[in-house]
Amino acid sequence: LFLRCLGGVYESSPWVAERAYDSNGYTSVTALWEAMKKVVNSATLEEKLKLLRAHPDLGGKAALRGEMTEESKFEQKRAGLGSLSQEELNKFNALNDRYKKKFEFPFILAVRNASKRAILSAFERRIESDQKIELSECLYQVHKIAYLRLLDKIETSPIGFLTTHVLDTANGIPAAGMFIELKRISDNTILKQFITNADGRLDKPALSGSEFKSGSYELQFHVGEYFAALGTPIAPTPFLDVVPIRFGIDNPESHYHVPLLCSPWSFSTYRGS
C-alpha cells in the first residue's frame, strides 16, 4: 500500500519510496519527506541521473504526445504549459534541446505555482550555468516537486498554525484594536475577522488544526481606520487604508507568523516563527 500510494512521488522512481519505507510509520508528512530526501541524496550518481532523466521536458514533445505521468500533466497544465502558443512552444523546444545537449539531463523546475514568464526566465538563466551547479539545482527542484505531491496524497498532521502581530511604528506601541480580515485566495473567501488585543496580537491563532492548509492567503490590515481612531495625523484621503499582505502556506505542519509594522505612510512584514 505504501509503495502503491507513494511510488510516483519521485517521478517514475518507486525505488525512493521503497527505500524510505519504515514499518513503524512516520509521524508527519515532513518527516516522511525528509526520509525520502535522504534516500535520494545518499543515492549513487548513476541513480540520481536516472531520476532526473525520468522527468519530461517542460512544455516539450512528450507533453504533446501525452507521454507523461498524471502528476506531471497536472503540474504542467497548472503552470499554463498545456496551452502554449506556437511561438512559445518553439522557444521551449529550443531551450529543452540546448539544455539537454549541454547537461545530459532535462531542465527541472517545480512549476506547479510558477508562471510561464518565471519558468522561461529560470530556463534562460540556468542554461548558462555549469554541470555541478545544475545537478544540485535539479535535485533541489525534484525534492520540491515531491513534497507538493506528498501534500496531495497524505493528510498532514494538525500541528501547524498562523499568527500575526501588529506594531504601530508611528507611535511606538502595539497596534491594539486594529481590525483584520483573513482571506483565502483560491476562492476569494473571507475566512475570519479579528480585532487585535492590547499587545497588538490575536487572542488565538488565526488558523490552526485542520483549517490550516497549504495554499495562498491574504491578511487585510485596516490601518487607516486604526490611525484615525487613535487620533494620529493622517491625510484626508489616507495614504494607507487597507494593507493587504498576500502570502503562501507551504508546510501546514509549521508555524507561520506574519507580522505587520506600520505607520500612516509605510509598512513592512516578514516571515516570522
Side-chain angles (χ1 to χ4, degrees):
L1 180 61
F2 183 88
L3 187 59
R4 186 165 65 247
C5 178
L6 303 179
V9 166
Y10 281 82
E11 187 80 9
S12 300
S13 301
W15 57 269
V16 179
E18 188 174 37
R19 294 182 195 176
Y21 174 74
D22 187 330
S23 60
N24 294 319
Y26 291 94
T27 57
S28 67
V29 173
T30 304
L32 172 57
W33 182 51
E34 290 295 338
M36 297 181 91
K37 281 170 60 180
K38 186 175 181 179
V39 167
V40 173
N41 292 340
S42 61
T44 65
L45 177 60
E46 182 180 354
E47 288 173 322
K48 290 175 182 176
L49 289 173
K50 187 176 180 180
L51 169 60
L52 298 186
R53 290 167 183 156
H55 283 259
D57 292 347
L58 292 181
K61 303 177 182 70
L64 291 176
R65 294 192 298 266
E67 299 172 355
M68 294 194 300
T69 62
E70 291 303 314
E71 292 91 346
S72 287
K73 288 178 185 177
F74 168 75
E75 290 153 0
Q76 293 206 25
K77 182 178 180 181
R78 180 162 169 169
L81 301 184
S83 55
L84 296 174
S85 67
Q86 190 59 51
E87 181 181 355
E88 290 171 330
L89 184 60
N90 292 341
K91 190 168 188 176
F92 269 99
N93 282 335
L95 286 168
N96 279 318
D97 290 343
R98 279 182 59 202
Y99 188 95
K100 287 191 294 185
K101 183 176 181 180
K102 180 175 180 178
F103 298 110
E104 299 184 332
F105 49 78
F107 174 78
I108 299 173
L109 185 71
V111 299
R112 183 181 299 207
N113 295 316
S115 65
K116 285 187 283 189
R117 290 189 303 275
I119 296 166
L120 282 171
S121 294
F123 220 146
E124 291 166 343
R125 171 180 56 82
R126 286 173 50 190
I127 206 168
E128 304 301 329
S129 188
D130 64 38
Q131 180 86 11
K132 185 176 180 180
I133 291 174
E134 273 308 291
L135 177 62
S136 177
E137 178 63 27
C138 281
L139 288 171
Y140 171 73
Q141 295 295 331
V142 163
H143 290 317
K144 288 178 66 176
I145 293 167
Y147 176 71
L148 291 169
R149 291 179 179 181
L150 279 175
L151 290 182
D152 288 340
K153 294 176 179 294
I154 303 176
E155 186 174 340
T156 56
S157 299
I159 57 177
F161 57 101
L162 170 67
T163 57
T164 188
H165 186 201
V166 189
L167 296 174
D168 173 352
T169 58
N171 298 293
I173 58 174
M178 183 179 291
F179 178 58
I180 303 172
E181 294 179 291
L182 174 64
K183 182 170 75 172
R184 185 171 54 222
I185 299 302
S186 61
D187 56 4
N188 203 37
T189 298
I190 298 295
L191 299 176
K192 295 189 179 183
Q193 298 176 325
F194 314 95
I195 300 289
T196 55
N197 59 26
D199 193 35
R201 301 177 187 271
L202 307 182
D203 291 329
K204 60 182 181 179
L207 282 178
S208 62
S210 61
E211 294 181 309
F212 191 61
K213 301 180 183 298
S214 61
S216 295
Y217 297 85
E218 186 174 277
L219 281 167
Q220 300 176 345
F221 298 87
H222 291 248
V223 302
E225 66 179 39
Y226 162 80
F227 284 114
L230 200 64
T232 302
I234 58 174
T237 300
F239 179 67
L240 294 178
D241 186 13
V242 178
V243 173
I245 303 295
R246 185 170 293 192
F247 58 97
I249 299 298
D250 179 61
N251 185 349
E253 295 175 343
S254 294
H255 173 202
Y256 282 72
H257 184 61
V258 185
L260 181 74
L261 292 76
C262 64
S263 77
W265 317 103
S266 64
F267 68 90
S268 63
T269 190
Y270 56 90
R271 161 76 196 276
S273 61

